[in-house]
Amino acid sequence: MPSYTAPVKDMQFVLHDLLKVSQSDIPGYGDLEADFTSAVLEEAGKITSEVLAPLNVVGDKEGCVLENGVVRVPTGFQEAFDQVREGGWTGLDLPEEYGGQGMPYVMGIAVGEMFSSANQAFSMYQGLTHGAASAILAHGTDAQKTTYLPKMVSCEWTGTMNLTEPHCGTDLGLMRTKAVPQDDGSYKISGQKIFISAGEHEMADNIIHLVLAKIPGGPEGIKGVSLFIVPKFIVNEDGTPGARNGVSCGALEEKMGIHGNSTCVMNYDEATGYLLGDAHKGMRAMFTMMNEARIGVGMQGLTQAEAAYQNAVIYAKDRLQGRDVTGVKNPDGPADPLIVHPDIRRNLMDQKSFTEGARAFILWSSTLIDQAHRSGDKDADGLISLLTPVIKGFLTDEGYDMTVQAQQVYGGHGYIEEWGMSQFTRDARIAMIYEGANGVQALDLVGRKLAADGGKHVMAFFEMVKTFLKENDGNEALKKDFLDPLKAASKDLQAAGMYFMQNGMKNPNNALSGSYDFMHLFGHVCLGLMWAKMAKVSMEALENGAEDATFYETKITTGRFYMARRLPATAMHLARINSGADTVMALDAANF
Amino acid sequence: MPSYTAPVKDMQFVLHDLLKVSQSDIPGYGDLEADFTSAVLEEAGKITSEVLAPLNVVGDKEGCVLENGVVRVPTGFQEAFDQVREGGWTGLDLPEEYGGQGMPYVMGIAVGEMFSSANQAFSMYQGLTHGAASAILAHGTDAQKTTYLPKMVSCEWTGTMNLTEPHCGTDLGLMRTKAVPQDDGSYKISGQKIFISAGEHEMADNIIHLVLAKIPGGPEGIKGVSLFIVPKFIVNEDGTPGARNGVSCGALEEKMGIHGNSTCVMNYDEATGYLLGDAHKGMRAMFTMMNEARIGVGMQGLTQAEAAYQNAVIYAKDRLQGRDVTGVKNPDGPADPLIVHPDIRRNLMDQKSFTEGARAFILWSSTLIDQAHRSGDKDADGLISLLTPVIKGFLTDEGYDMTVQAQQVYGGHGYIEEWGMSQFTRDARIAMIYEGANGVQALDLVGRKLAADGGKHVMAFFEMVKTFLKENDGNEALKKDFLDPLKAASKDLQAAGMYFMQNGMKNPNNALSGSYDFMHLFGHVCLGLMWAKMAKVSMEALENGAEDATFYETKITTGRFYMARRLPATAMHLARINSGADTVMALDAANF
């Protein structure tokens, strides 16, 4: 069975060496001293590796079962959920006034990475609740906040988001679910929603569904969509769960992975709902949840890659097969361990350089969110808005590929469910799809985010890279292995942007045909930037006589690998982009 | 449920327009007139799409079950297997003297593609039998041939290959299975083999296991391995199956995919075996099977990509979601079909240009095998030996990626088992692993095949590309879109080979660290060459006033897409290769 060890040391490196969080002037960051974050991360590391990770395979094998309208979660999930609640892990970065711990978002993400690495399907019950709570926090009335938030912050009640219907996913304007206004100000919600993660289960006393629906007579299409709170049990005056509402799980989906999470078809039959935010402004409210969810999903790409990588390394050190071509390394054994072989190392270094780069990227991005929310920094808000589709699309695509590579290290055993490597791949696959399929992320990036505010945010990004390069001009230790490749990659990204500007005007398809490659190109530049920065602080640490020299040297080597072996992808993406829409759009649909 | 339509027209294009098989002087090729191959392919198309494809999902859902030593295959498999046998599909390219139809290998591969696209797990029962029969044909005594081949050609008896043991896969020198010589010239085989595809089932009257084992007292390691025929039922003098042999299925593996195939743990307990070929020369005999199997597995990459692509196209035309950004295309519907969107097309064109290029590559490669076997052409033999790891490694990696892309077209539905797209991905995954994991293919390519016969065969490959470029010098229609990119890609491949020569001498790790990238670089050049040739013959067909102009125009556009959008990967692979072993080998194992 696979194991999981929380990468506390690497997180501490990113938080303190790289991001220097406790020196930041973002409100709340002053508390993030190394010993404090270490204590939190160590504790989270314990519960995730000891309690949640062992349940990962159980969840995959047993899945969820629907019987007489009741959904049974896998063995051990209820007890583990109780432990998570009791440990106070559910409201880490939610406001203290509703029972949370009020820590910055960056800490929520660091801890969230561990939960998801240990057990993605399990962590979703909590993750969806967090997203739903955030939406209520942002758009709810005081009464709604008081009614729902304390219970959701503690996960006594869980939450869901209901967008998709059988005939519409991305194109929510086609939605059919109706919300009919009642005299008491509530609505009667009727319709069917599909793919509802954590839609029904018995682990919580109530489930608070956030449901998109149309109020009859409202504007056509997406502009007529509103968001509603639809509790499984209607909440009594005293705040306790009361009568069963007209919402039920019609079926559980049989999925490729995340079997431990109950993915439901939800039927709403004149269920009582309460408007959340303004009528017909449901998409805006939902996007509060969606943007947060997209970062969380991007993180899932990292988390499955990390868990798979850890196990691949263990196997590569343990499994004896073949001999080192440059000389026997394990003369007392019948063969050398796999890890002596160059192609196994190439494979593992791909993984290692991805996960560590992705971790830095996502934690740095989280500080942008804190900066936007806690400091009201509009530039940070614009930048994270630009980067969100990159985080979601690039990290889940690459993260998935890494789980496939980790599986490969096991040879035939990687294909056998008993070893658990297939599960990482199957679980990771969903992240490329949900919260907006990655093609939609690419469209969002190129079609919307690039030009937002007159292209201000992408210019700010380029400026940031340029500033870093300038500041380190003359740093010979960084130049060849880090600064030069970063400069070249960043130039590719700018050239791609330029191509879009020049050719997208003539025909938007010239830009949209290259959107997916642009998303990946952008992602590589982000990871390249992170690696250059990590190399820099590691070199500084070594110069300052850091105790754990090996850690910093390893970091620099891993970064050099990324720059030499992964970053050259940018030129390929640029070449693809520069070929434009011509061959992409030429065929009649009939000729596919 | 997914459907499958055999790509007869495209196969005919490759066989006749591109390869001009009936004009070849390879013995037997004269019979391959267009109407003959069309008749065979149309018939194969029927049984695969009508009988085998509908059982694909059934096989995945039901899997195989082991009860009291008996393995039950999924519902319908037995009847379908009977139909396949009755139709004479099992010995298409096996010798007539043993009941086969004696057609060239290229026809076996064309038909094999259909079988595997329709139902990979099912087609393996037959495929393994074919491989085992080929090994007996090449290495068996006359008596062995007479005893086993007629029944195996007709698939009344099926076959298996037994290499892997729990502690050794790639490194077969570690093998523990023993073969103790008996006075009557037979051997007693004892040991455990794992991952045995089609290892046990009741669809055939007998199962002929080919088993690698060591004769005690023989040479150490891989040089002491011999190959044995171990029938499930010992064959009576009269050729009928007799007493049960000491071989049994200990367990079925739970796998990520190919559930319809029984992957067995096989226990040999003093089972009677007969030496096949020379003692201690088992690996050589096994490689007869392995090389054929590797081409067949490479083909599986194509087959799952093809099946997944076909369904993705149907969905993309059918599913209405969003509007064409350049103007509404389906004004009477609530939305436009997915296929109007540039990124969906980019995705589908990736798939289309891969499958058609891969089909040409594998059919052309099959003609090399025929040339080697039927014409005794040593150069063809050397070239296909060089290309085998490329076919296996590159086509299965890329084929897998394409199934993942096809799944993505479906959005959330791609993750739901009911739609069948997950199965293509899960089934395709195994092809990257079995018959030598793709890392081992890369090692074989760079560590063995490149330098074989003084590098003669890779030089012949470059010469072939050069000749094609030279012959078409001045062809302006081909130049920019096809010849120039092919030239550039081929130059990248040569530069990579040069890097290995110059740096691999100093340290073999410099070559081996780039082996995986080299395999992909090589694969892209092969597909680029195929596309350039296909474009050329398509242009000629158009000039000659071909009836179906749209078919040829589509071919040219698809080729242009490949050259513009896929081939630029070669420069990236070269950059990675040129970075050498440095960052790959630098870390101590402890620092992963």
Side-chain angles (χ1 to χ4, degrees):
Chain A
M1 201 173 70
S3 64
Y4 172 67
T5 306
V8 174
K9 188 167 186 174
D10 203 55
M11 287 185 179
Q12 287 284 85
F13 165 76
V14 174
L15 290 174
H16 302 290
D17 289 72
L18 179 69
L19 301 175
K20 300 180 174 59
V21 286
S22 64
Q23 296 165 40
S24 160
D25 56 6
I26 300 171
Y29 271 50
D31 298 337
L32 302 181
E33 296 288 352
D35 53 356
F36 171 75
T37 61
S38 162
V40 173
L41 297 176
E42 289 289 354
E43 279 306 307
K46 268 185 213 157
I47 191 167
T48 51
S49 63
E50 292 169 12
V51 179
L52 302 189
L55 292 176
N56 197 37
V57 174
V58 176
D60 186 57
K61 271 208 132 152
E62 292 188 15
C64 296
V65 181
L66 174 66
E67 266 173 4
N68 306 321
V70 174
V71 171
R72 271 193 289 115
V73 295
T75 308
F77 271 41
Q78 174 76 63
E79 294 75 8
F81 204 61
D82 290 342
Q83 262 186 276
V84 168
R85 277 193 281 242
E86 281 156 23
W89 293 110
T90 62
L92 209 72
D93 59 350
L94 289 169
E96 287 168 288
E97 77 179 290
Y98 299 112
Q101 299 195 40
M103 288 185 210
Y105 182 75
V106 71
M107 287 303 290
I109 281 289
V111 169
E113 184 200 312
M114 296 182 187
F115 274 73
S116 177
S117 278
N119 198 323
Q120 181 177 333
F122 179 94
S123 70
M124 289 167 65
Y125 291 99
Q126 196 179 333
L128 270 299
T129 309
H130 190 286
S134 299
I136 294 175
L137 196 60
H139 303 283
T141 62
D142 286 344
Q144 286 172 336
K145 290 183 196 177
T146 312
T147 304
Y148 300 105
L149 286 182
K151 301 286 190 184
M152 293 176 78
V153 167
S154 65
C155 271
E156 283 168 89
W157 299 354
T158 59
T160 71
M161 48 199 293
N162 291 241
L163 291 79
T164 307
E165 300 184 5
H167 62 288
C168 70
T170 301
D171 191 354
L172 290 169
L174 304 175
M175 184 172 296
R176 290 181 193 148
T177 299
K178 260 187 238 166
V180 180
Q182 305 297 304
D183 292 342
D184 64 357
S186 73
Y187 292 78
K188 290 284 183 212
I189 315 286
S190 298
Q192 189 177 65
K193 295 288 182 176
I194 62 170
F195 305 156
I196 309 309
S197 300
E200 177 56 24
H201 58 84
E202 306 269 295
M203 289 199 294
D205 297 333
N206 205 354
I207 300 176
I208 310 307
H209 302 288
L210 297 196
V211 184
L212 286 179
K214 284 185 171 177
I215 301 168
E220 284 289 298
I222 198 72
K223 289 175 182 162
V225 168
S226 307
L227 185 59
F228 298 89
I229 297 174
V230 185
K232 174 178 171 185
F233 296 103
I234 293 171
V235 180
N236 295 323
E237 288 285 326
D238 66 357
T240 57
R244 189 70 153 89
N245 202 352
V247 47
S248 61
C249 170
L252 288 176
E253 303 282 6
E254 271 188 58
K255 310 180 299 287
M256 184 177 180
I258 53 166
H259 296 157
N261 200 276
S262 58
T263 307
C264 301
V265 175
M266 297 301 296
N267 294 322
Y268 293 87
D269 186 12
E270 302 212 326
T272 298
Y274 313 100
L275 189 65
L276 177 60
D278 297 332
H280 315 313
K281 298 276 160 68
M283 287 310 290
R284 210 184 55 183
M286 194 49 112
F287 262 101
T288 306
M289 214 166 151
M290 287 283 278
N291 276 329
E292 183 189 310
R294 284 176 176 180
I295 309 264
V297 171
M299 183 187 72
Q300 288 177 344
L302 158 62
T303 66
Q304 297 313 292
E306 169 70 29
Y309 166 71
Q310 288 189 11
N311 287 282
V313 168
I314 293 169
Y315 192 80
K317 289 180 188 176
D318 193 51
R319 174 87 168 172
L320 304 181
Q321 207 78 178
R323 289 295 186 187
D324 186 332
V325 70
T326 63
V328 170
K329 286 289 182 301
N330 177 33
D332 299 334
D336 289 341
L338 285 182
I339 203 163
V340 305
H341 302 303
D343 188 62
I344 293 285
R345 280 174 164 266
R346 185 268 319 157
N347 181 335
L348 293 174
M349 289 299 293
D350 278 350
Q351 297 177 56
K352 183 174 171 63
S353 66
F354 167 73
T355 56
E356 294 179 16
R359 179 171 300 120
F361 182 34
I362 208 150
L363 289 175
W364 168 63
S365 299
S366 303
T367 66
L368 292 176
I369 291 183
D370 281 323
Q371 214 170 327
H373 291 176
R374 293 181 169 238
S375 308
D377 183 332
K378 293 226 158 136
D379 291 337
D381 195 47
L383 187 54
I384 189 61
S385 168
L386 171 73
L387 294 176
T388 296
V390 179
I391 293 167
K392 200 284 185 181
F394 177 71
L395 294 188
T396 59
D397 278 355
E398 294 273 307
Y400 177 76
D401 286 349
M402 293 305 134
T403 63
V404 174
Q405 290 198 190
Q407 218 186 344
Q408 193 72 11
V409 173
Y410 281 67
H413 301 282
Y415 200 63
I416 307 297
E417 292 294 350
E418 187 190 346
W419 288 83
M421 299 306 286
S422 155
Q423 186 188 351
F424 295 128
T425 299
R426 290 184 291 99
D427 286 359
R429 183 67 186 86
I430 188 58
M432 297 154 74
I433 299 173
Y434 60 17
E435 304 308 336
N438 286 356
V440 175
Q441 302 299 326
L443 178 65
D444 178 46
L445 174 63
V446 170
R448 205 176 294 147
K449 300 294 177 63
L450 263 192
D453 300 321
K456 182 177 160 189
H457 309 299
V458 73
M459 296 312 294
F461 179 84
F462 287 132
E463 199 53 40
M464 191 176 59
V465 176
K466 215 166 115 185
T467 303
F468 176 78
L469 291 170
K470 212 171 186 178
E471 280 171 4
N472 294 286
D473 199 22
N475 183 336
E476 287 307 313
L478 275 181
K479 187 175 181 332
K480 188 176 130 288
D481 291 345
F482 291 96
L483 302 181
D484 290 350
L486 175 61
K487 199 171 180 176
S490 168
K491 227 174 114 185
D492 287 340
L493 185 64
Q494 291 187 55
M498 194 64 74
Y499 177 87
F500 290 162
M501 285 218 289
Q502 289 169 348
N503 299 280
M505 302 284 237
K506 279 180 273 179
N507 181 350
N509 288 341
N510 278 324
L512 298 181
S513 298
S515 59
Y516 212 87
D517 282 291
F518 188 78
M519 180 171 76
H520 276 257
L521 206 176
F522 209 149
H524 277 297
V525 173
C526 289
L527 259 59
L529 176 64
M530 291 300 122
W531 272 117
K533 290 188 168 193
M534 287 195 283
K536 182 188 164 152
V537 297
S538 296
M539 288 173 187
E540 286 168 357
L542 288 170
E543 279 160 29
N544 297 333
E547 260 179 52
D548 193 353
T550 305
F551 177 86
Y552 293 105
E553 285 159 4
T554 299
K555 193 58 83 179
I556 294 166
T557 300
T558 310
R560 287 177 55 229
F561 178 93
Y562 194 89
M563 305 309 274
R565 291 229 163 208
R566 307 295 298 174
L567 214 51
T570 60
M572 175 187 72
H573 291 300
L574 178 60
R576 290 178 181 167
I577 288 165
N578 281 340
S579 78
D582 185 10
T583 58
V584 176
M585 304 306 294
L587 294 189
D588 273 354
N591 297 327
F592 276 86
Chain B
M1 200 172 69
S3 63
Y4 172 66
T5 307
V8 175
K9 189 168 186 174
D10 203 53
M11 286 184 179
Q12 287 285 85
F13 165 76
V14 175
L15 291 175
H16 301 289
D17 288 73
L18 180 68
L19 301 175
K20 301 180 174 55
V21 286
S22 63
Q23 296 166 40
S24 161
D25 55 8
I26 300 172
Y29 271 51
D31 298 337
L32 303 181
E33 295 288 353
D35 53 356
F36 172 74
T37 61
S38 163
V40 173
L41 298 176
E42 289 289 353
E43 279 306 306
K46 268 186 214 156
I47 190 167
T48 51
S49 63
E50 291 169 12
V51 179
L52 303 189
L55 292 177
N56 196 37
V57 174
V58 176
D60 186 57
K61 270 208 134 150
E62 291 187 14
C64 296
V65 182
L66 173 66
E67 265 173 5
N68 306 322
V70 174
V71 171
R72 271 193 289 114
V73 296
T75 308
F77 271 41
Q78 173 76 62
E79 293 75 9
F81 204 60
D82 290 342
Q83 263 185 274
V84 168
R85 277 195 281 240
E86 282 156 22
W89 293 109
T90 62
L92 209 70
D93 59 350
L94 289 169
E96 287 170 284
E97 78 179 286
Y98 300 112
Q101 300 196 37
M103 288 185 209
Y105 183 75
V106 70
M107 288 303 290
I109 281 288
V111 169
E113 185 200 312
M114 295 181 186
F115 274 73
S116 176
S117 278
N119 197 325
Q120 181 177 333
F122 179 93
S123 69
M124 288 168 66
Y125 291 99
Q126 196 179 335
L128 270 299
T129 310
H130 192 286
S134 300
I136 294 175
L137 196 59
H139 302 283
T141 61
D142 285 344
Q144 286 172 336
K145 289 184 197 177
T146 311
T147 305
Y148 300 106
L149 286 181
K151 301 287 189 184
M152 292 176 78
V153 167
S154 64
C155 271
E156 283 168 88
W157 299 354
T158 59
T160 71
M161 48 199 294
N162 292 240
L163 292 80
T164 307
E165 301 185 4
H167 61 288
C168 71
T170 301
D171 190 353
L172 290 169
L174 303 176
M175 184 172 296
R176 290 181 193 146
T177 298
K178 260 187 238 165
V180 180
Q182 305 297 303
D183 292 342
D184 65 355
S186 72
Y187 291 78
K188 291 284 182 211
I189 315 284
S190 299
Q192 189 177 64
K193 296 287 182 178
I194 62 170
F195 305 158
I196 309 308
S197 300
E200 176 55 25
H201 58 84
E202 306 269 298
M203 288 198 296
D205 296 335
N206 205 353
I207 301 177
I208 309 307
H209 303 288
L210 297 196
V211 184
L212 286 179
K214 284 185 171 176
I215 303 169
E220 285 289 297
I222 198 74
K223 289 177 182 160
V225 168
S226 308
L227 185 60
F228 298 88
I229 297 174
V230 185
K232 175 177 168 184
F233 296 103
I234 294 171
V235 180
N236 295 322
E237 288 284 327
D238 66 356
T240 57
R244 189 72 153 88
N245 203 351
V247 47
S248 60
C249 170
L252 289 175
E253 302 282 5
E254 272 189 56
K255 310 179 299 289
M256 185 178 180
I258 52 165
H259 295 158
N261 199 274
S262 58
T263 307
C264 301
V265 175
M266 295 302 294
N267 295 323
Y268 292 86
D269 187 12
E270 302 211 327
T272 298
Y274 312 99
L275 188 64
L276 177 60
D278 297 331
H280 316 312
K281 298 277 161 67
M283 288 309 291
R284 210 182 56 183
M286 192 49 112
F287 262 101
T288 305
M289 213 166 153
M290 287 284 278
N291 276 330
E292 182 188 310
R294 283 175 178 179
I295 309 266
V297 170
M299 184 187 72
Q300 288 177 345
L302 157 62
T303 66
Q304 298 312 293
E306 170 69 30
Y309 166 71
Q310 288 189 11
N311 287 282
V313 168
I314 293 169
Y315 191 81
K317 289 180 186 173
D318 193 52
R319 174 86 169 174
L320 305 179
Q321 207 78 178
R323 290 294 186 186
D324 186 332
V325 71
T326 62
V328 170
K329 287 288 180 303
N330 177 32
D332 299 335
D336 290 340
L338 285 182
I339 204 164
V340 305
H341 302 302
D343 188 61
I344 293 285
R345 282 175 161 264
R346 186 267 318 157
N347 182 335
L348 293 174
M349 290 298 293
D350 279 349
Q351 297 177 57
K352 183 175 171 63
S353 65
F354 168 73
T355 56
E356 294 178 16
R359 180 170 299 120
F361 181 34
I362 208 151
L363 289 176
W364 168 64
S365 298
S366 302
T367 66
L368 292 177
I369 292 183
D370 282 323
Q371 214 170 324
H373 292 176
R374 293 182 169 238
S375 308
D377 183 332
K378 293 226 158 138
D379 290 338
D381 195 48
L383 187 54
I384 189 60
S385 168
L386 171 73
L387 294 176
T388 296
V390 179
I391 292 168
K392 199 284 185 179
F394 177 71
L395 294 187
T396 59
D397 278 356
E398 293 274 305
Y400 177 77
D401 286 350
M402 293 306 135
T403 63
V404 174
Q405 288 197 191
Q407 219 186 343
Q408 194 71 10
V409 172
Y410 281 67
H413 300 282
Y415 200 64
I416 306 297
E417 293 295 348
E418 189 190 345
W419 288 82
M421 299 305 286
S422 155
Q423 186 187 350
F424 295 128
T425 299
R426 290 184 291 98
D427 285 359
R429 183 69 186 86
I430 188 58
M432 297 154 75
I433 299 174
Y434 61 15
E435 304 307 336
N438 286 356
V440 175
Q441 302 299 326
L443 178 65
D444 179 46
L445 175 64
V446 170
R448 204 175 296 148
K449 300 294 176 66
L450 264 191
D453 299 321
K456 181 178 161 190
H457 308 298
V458 73
M459 295 313 294
F461 179 84
F462 287 132
E463 199 52 42
M464 190 177 60
V465 176
K466 218 169 114 184
T467 303
F468 176 79
L469 291 170
K470 214 170 184 178
E471 278 171 5
N472 294 285
D473 198 22
N475 183 335
E476 287 306 312
L478 275 180
K479 187 176 184 326
K480 190 176 131 286
D481 290 346
F482 291 96
L483 304 180
D484 290 351
L486 175 61
K487 198 172 182 176
S490 168
K491 226 173 115 185
D492 287 340
L493 185 63
Q494 292 187 54
M498 194 63 76
Y499 177 87
F500 289 161
M501 285 218 287
Q502 289 169 346
N503 299 279
M505 302 283 237
K506 278 181 276 180
N507 181 350
N509 288 340
N510 278 324
L512 299 181
S513 298
S515 59
Y516 211 88
D517 282 291
F518 188 78
M519 180 171 76
H520 276 258
L521 207 176
F522 209 149
H524 277 297
V525 173
C526 290
L527 260 60
L529 176 64
M530 292 299 122
W531 271 117
K533 291 189 167 193
M534 289 196 283
K536 182 188 163 151
V537 297
S538 297
M539 287 174 187
E540 285 168 359
L542 288 169
E543 278 161 28
N544 296 335
E547 261 182 49
D548 193 352
T550 304
F551 177 85
Y552 292 106
E553 284 159 4
T554 299
K555 193 58 82 178
I556 295 166
T557 299
T558 309
R560 288 177 55 228
F561 179 93
Y562 194 89
M563 305 309 272
R565 291 230 163 208
R566 307 294 297 175
L567 213 51
T570 60
M572 176 187 72
H573 291 300
L574 177 60
R576 289 178 181 166
I577 288 166
N578 281 339
S579 78
D582 184 11
T583 58
V584 176
M585 303 306 293
L587 294 189
D588 273 353
N591 297 327
F592 277 85

